[in-house]
Amino acid sequence: MLKGISPRLNADVLHALASMGHGDMLVVVDTNFPAESIAQQTMLGHLLRIDNVSAAEAVEALLSLMPLDTFVDDAATRMEVVGAPEDVPKVQHEVQAAIDRAEGKHWPLVPVERYAFYERAKEAYCVIQTGERRFYGCFTLTKGVIPPETE
């Protein structure tokens, strides 16, 4: 246990977060996502896990340490529902609320079509699979910067 760091973040995830740079993207996925095969194609090259938590709990823990990128419009995305791209499932509402709390303002999740999401995920730094069992619990988050403290 480390003071001030969510116990949901294990050593492998903490190392990945620390290794990522500005503009690097991570993928948070549910248990149905083809996580292992996609993760092998990422920069890290292997799957990370935050087991036994929902997607929203994982995102909350990740964003307690990682700022979102303010230089891009799609720093936070969600997988669209197949056949109903305008639908926003409860799991996605919960993640949206976690993002808004972490950023201190509304930060809209940008929808991404399912197969485009898979391709986007392959270009990520890493994939983190959660214990989320609800469908469409899949998101990308792009790392921003922490400004220097003023003197």
Side-chain angles (χ1 to χ4, degrees):
M1 298 293 293
L2 296 171
K3 193 174 188 178
I5 296 178
S6 172
R8 294 179 176 125
L9 300 175
N10 59 54
D12 293 333
V13 172
L14 288 170
H15 183 265
L17 289 174
S19 298
M20 291 171 64
H22 175 245
D24 281 339
M25 179 178 55
L26 63 81
V27 187
V28 176
V29 299
D30 60 35
T31 58
N32 291 296
F33 189 82
E36 187 69 46
S37 61
I38 298 287
Q40 289 177 17
Q41 300 175 63
T42 64
M43 180 65 70
L44 188 63
H46 65 273
L47 181 62
L48 300 174
R49 295 182 173 280
I50 302 179
D51 292 319
N52 302 317
V53 300
S54 69
E57 291 169 323
V59 167
E60 178 181 45
L62 292 163
L63 294 182
S64 73
L65 299 178
M66 185 187 95
L68 289 175
D69 192 343
T70 59
F71 292 104
V72 296
D73 293 332
D74 60 353
T77 72
R78 64 177 179 85
M79 183 187 286
E80 284 182 352
V81 175
V82 174
E86 300 303 316
D87 287 0
V88 180
K90 184 176 180 181
V91 63
Q92 294 183 355
H93 281 288
E94 291 171 5
V95 168
Q96 179 69 71
I99 291 169
D100 292 351
R101 281 191 305 274
E103 293 300 316
K105 63 179 182 178
H106 181 62
W107 191 300
L109 281 163
V110 176
V112 177
E113 185 274 332
R114 176 183 172 204
Y115 292 105
F117 188 95
Y118 291 158
E119 293 306 311
R120 182 178 175 88
K122 292 173 188 176
E123 297 176 9
Y125 183 83
C126 64
V127 174
I128 302 170
Q129 190 166 43
T130 69
E132 182 62 67
R133 294 189 59 202
R134 293 173 291 178
F135 299 147
Y136 299 100
C138 301
F139 308 88
T140 67
L141 303 172
T142 302
K143 187 176 184 180
V145 298
I146 298 172
E149 294 184 23
T150 58
E151 296 178 18

